[in-house]
Amino acid sequence: MRRAHSMPFGAEIGPEGVRFALWAPTATEVALVLDGSEHPLPEAGEGWRRLTVPGVRAGARYGYRIDGDLVVPDPASRFQPEDVSGLSEVIDPAAFPWTDGGWKGRPFEETVIYEAHIGTATPEGTYAALAERLEALRDLGVTAIELLPLADFKGTRNWGYDGVLPYAPDSAYGTPDDLRRLVDRAHALGLMVFLDVVYNHFGPAGNYLNAYAKTFFTERHQTPWGAGINFDGKTSGQVVRDYFVHNSLYWLEEFHVDGLRFDAVHAIQDDSDKHFLGELAERIRAAFPDRPIHLMLENEANQASWLERDGAGQPRHHSAQWADDTHHGWHILLTGEEAGYYESFADRPAAHLARSLAEGFAYQGEPFKTLDDHPRGEPSGHLPPSAFVTFLQNHDQVGNRALGERLSHLAEPDRLALARAGLLLSPQIPMLWMGEEWSASTPFLFFVDFAPDEELNKAVRDGRRREFKSFAAFADEEKAKTIPDPTAEETFRRSTLDWAERDRSPHREVLADTTALLALRQREIVPLTKTAWQGGRYA
């Protein structure tokens, strides 16, 4: 079984050699830099430049010299062995010997997600090391692992949301084949693999698109990260859309992952007649008509319209959305915290939670206090429970706290046990954050590595402390200094799971409880969720 995704971008091995293709509409002159030699990259119309070079083999290093000056990596690079600013490596994806030809996927109703960050999920922080833990996760009762974004980012440590090369799995965790082995091993154990992808922005270091493709971005749309990605440009929009659509197809085909989670889609601005999210889902589903592909959204706008089902009960576009409303209700009841976005749930947390558990969204068009009383959400009660991924915590809800505390650091054990049962026995799709199954003692802190750019590192440090000054616990300068330095390696190390805790009390007891609940879910809840959903109830 050999797998390779063909696309108009990047370096592709063919019978006549390696075809190099770059979309560079605002560059005057482009040369291919290949293993120490240079070749003019001829124009091919509409901003494209292409060249096929015979005799090139996998492992060759290449980049593009723009206008006789800057050498940049391939924006569709499959691997960056020397980080985001180094040369790209030619990869032969068809060379990997897959063994999962019999894998048919799993129905979404069976899904129990385990969200993990490769770099801190194990002491080694590699694809290979996580592969060694998959059997334990299978025995726990999870059916899918969801990986935080892998797109190549600046430095050696990052959550993954600062990626700048979406096709290149980051070398800090191993090689592309190491990632393939992780997926292959997961499938052998009956586990699905989901991948988090970011299509709303690029990270602040290592993105060179502006050097040769300025029209990839547009000032017509502004985002928290600056100029928006140009999904709706008259001349550039389709190329930009294709770049991200092919990225999804690439992960699903070439790495055989079972689903994708699209980060913060409310920040994708698109005035086209057909929104990018619609085209993305339609093209993915058309490409894999006979394979279960699960597409999940993070969408603060609570747009139930993206989650609609067809007459057979299958998703028309996206399979599910992360149900933040459910989390917020649980969190307030467990901790009593009411600051920030929790304020919109603090008036009636139990009622908001009840509606979330019954209908998916707590806010379905009502005024939302955190948005200056603007309406938030759409009616969702007609959707099946499987349209909502629920959780008590995740990388955001833990890591975006000043000290990275897990819920087990904040809530009484008995109350947390009750919430755990509520989560894992709900007909909605439950998700565990890595280590949650045993109430891990380690925090999950915010960390980055932009060295040697100390100016950017300082901006991140200062911004982090400024962000939490509105909280009384960090209001003065001295208290703000207790916030861990996100650029320090020690901050990253402190976030690494200690798997030995699983065998010690009280973690051992929490693990046993989680395992028992997931066994009960598989036995009693999953059969119910596989029955037909009609008119807001199981038929």
Side-chain angles (χ1 to χ4, degrees):
M1 178 66 65
R2 310 285 172 164
R3 299 188 176 101
H5 175 67
S6 181
M7 57 190 176
F9 310 92
E12 189 166 291
I13 297 175
E16 298 178 357
V18 175
R19 181 227 64 197
F20 297 92
L22 178 72
W23 187 64
T26 57
T28 301
E29 180 183 326
V30 181
L32 170 68
V33 177
L34 176 62
D35 281 344
S37 63
E38 294 200 17
H39 310 260
L41 204 62
E43 296 186 31
E46 299 182 328
W48 285 97
R49 293 172 180 265
R50 298 187 184 94
L51 179 67
T52 297
V53 182
V56 180
R57 299 181 181 276
R61 301 290 179 87
Y62 72 101
Y64 299 105
R65 188 178 299 280
I66 306 300
D67 295 332
D69 185 17
L70 180 68
V71 175
V72 302
D74 185 349
S77 168
R78 281 177 161 89
F79 190 47
Q80 291 293 119
E82 296 178 357
D83 209 8
V84 294
S85 297
L87 292 177
S88 304
E89 181 174 317
V90 174
I91 295 293
D92 182 4
F96 184 79
W98 290 92
T99 65
D100 66 347
W103 173 252
K104 303 300 181 184
R106 299 184 67 154
F108 198 55
E109 290 78 10
E110 295 180 0
T111 303
V112 176
I113 301 173
Y114 189 87
E115 190 191 22
H117 174 262
I118 291 286
T120 54
T122 65
E124 300 86 354
T126 63
Y127 304 121
L130 183 58
E132 294 299 316
R133 302 289 183 178
L134 292 180
E135 192 167 348
L137 298 181
R138 188 272 314 271
D139 294 345
L140 171 66
V142 303
T143 63
I145 58 169
E146 180 175 322
L147 306 177
L148 266 63
L150 302 178
D152 203 24
F153 51 79
K154 171 72 172 174
T156 60
R157 51 190 185 273
N158 196 286
W159 281 11
Y161 298 92
D162 290 322
V164 292
L165 294 170
Y167 291 83
D170 199 279
S171 61
Y173 307 140
T175 67
D177 278 358
D178 289 334
L179 176 57
R180 291 183 177 92
R181 290 186 192 94
L182 170 63
V183 178
D184 204 42
R185 177 60 176 157
H187 289 169
L189 294 169
L191 296 173
M192 297 179 284
V193 179
F194 302 152
L195 178 61
D196 201 342
V197 292
V198 182
Y199 295 162
N200 53 51
H201 78 290
F202 291 86
N207 173 28
Y208 296 99
L209 282 165
N210 265 318
Y212 52 87
K214 291 182 174 62
T215 52
F216 201 98
F217 304 94
T218 176
E219 295 292 339
R220 288 180 293 104
H221 299 308
Q222 292 297 314
T223 75
W225 308 280
I229 295 174
N230 195 10
F231 288 103
D232 54 5
K234 291 182 180 179
T235 59
S236 303
Q238 193 56 55
V239 176
V240 173
R241 292 160 87 98
D242 285 348
Y243 179 78
F244 291 108
V245 170
H246 274 286
N247 185 252
S248 289
L249 299 176
Y250 161 80
W251 291 117
L252 292 163
E253 181 177 5
E254 203 160 290
F255 287 86
H256 209 205
V257 302
D258 301 275
L260 301 168
R261 182 261 193 185
F262 302 109
D263 178 67
V265 299
H266 49 270
I268 296 176
Q269 301 182 47
D270 181 3
D271 294 331
S272 304
D273 291 339
K274 176 175 285 188
H275 194 282
F276 169 69
L277 286 179
E279 179 180 338
L280 176 65
E282 289 172 8
R283 290 176 64 180
I284 289 173
R285 299 211 178 279
F288 303 99
D290 302 318
R291 181 178 156 201
I293 298 294
H294 309 308
L295 306 177
M296 294 154 282
L297 302 175
E298 180 192 24
N299 188 0
E300 288 184 1
N302 278 5
Q303 293 167 298
S305 50
W306 289 123
L307 310 175
E308 296 294 343
R309 268 50 180 170
D310 62 19
Q314 297 304 305
R316 295 184 186 276
H317 289 102
H318 300 277
S319 310
Q321 179 183 314
W322 276 25
D324 285 343
D325 287 9
T326 307
H327 167 271
H328 298 344
W330 277 121
H331 190 89
I332 294 171
L333 291 171
L334 289 169
T335 69
E337 294 182 348
E338 300 181 356
Y341 44 73
Y342 295 126
E343 186 179 6
S344 295
F345 297 81
D347 56 341
R348 296 179 300 124
H352 288 305
L353 175 60
R355 193 182 195 195
S356 299
L357 291 172
E359 302 180 14
F361 297 147
Y363 280 86
Q364 301 179 27
E366 296 82 6
F368 194 64
K369 189 170 184 179
T370 313
L371 296 176
D372 296 325
D373 287 332
H374 288 293
R376 174 175 179 255
E378 297 173 352
S380 58
H382 61 291
L383 294 170
S386 59
F388 305 96
V389 175
T390 58
F391 41 86
L392 300 179
Q393 49 198 318
N394 60 36
H395 73 275
D396 267 331
Q397 304 300 340
V398 176
N400 281 326
R401 300 179 65 86
L403 301 180
E405 305 103 324
R406 294 170 176 270
L407 197 53
S408 54
H409 301 146
L410 306 171
E412 293 294 328
D414 289 347
R415 294 166 67 88
L416 184 54
L418 175 63
R420 186 184 307 118
L423 169 73
L424 299 181
L425 300 181
S426 163
Q428 296 169 329
I429 303 299
M431 182 175 76
L432 295 167
W433 168 235
M434 62 178 198
E436 180 180 354
E437 71 271 29
W438 75 77
S439 288
S441 67
T442 49
F444 185 71
L445 297 158
F446 181 70
F447 49 79
V448 296
D449 172 24
F450 293 132
D453 189 341
E454 280 310 310
E455 184 176 341
L456 183 53
N457 270 345
K458 182 178 185 301
V460 172
R461 268 194 307 272
D462 293 346
R464 187 73 173 164
R465 287 170 178 167
R466 190 165 52 247
E467 176 183 357
F468 291 102
K469 272 198 170 182
S470 59
F471 293 84
F474 308 103
D476 63 50
E477 289 292 337
E478 289 305 311
K479 290 180 179 178
K481 290 178 182 178
T482 65
I483 298 173
D485 178 359
T487 69
E489 184 174 357
E490 173 62 19
T491 301
F492 167 74
R493 296 294 175 199
R494 287 179 56 198
S495 302
T496 301
L497 287 182
D498 176 9
W499 284 74
E501 287 185 332
R502 291 161 46 99
D503 300 322
R504 301 196 295 265
S505 185
H507 307 287
R508 179 178 60 238
E509 290 77 13
V510 175
L511 180 62
D513 183 50
T514 305
T515 305
L517 287 168
L518 287 175
L520 180 61
R521 175 186 183 82
Q522 181 63 30
R523 186 170 64 249
E524 303 292 342
I525 306 300
V526 171
L528 173 64
T529 64
K530 289 186 175 182
T531 60
W533 179 262
Q534 297 176 356
R537 65 184 63 188
Y538 288 111

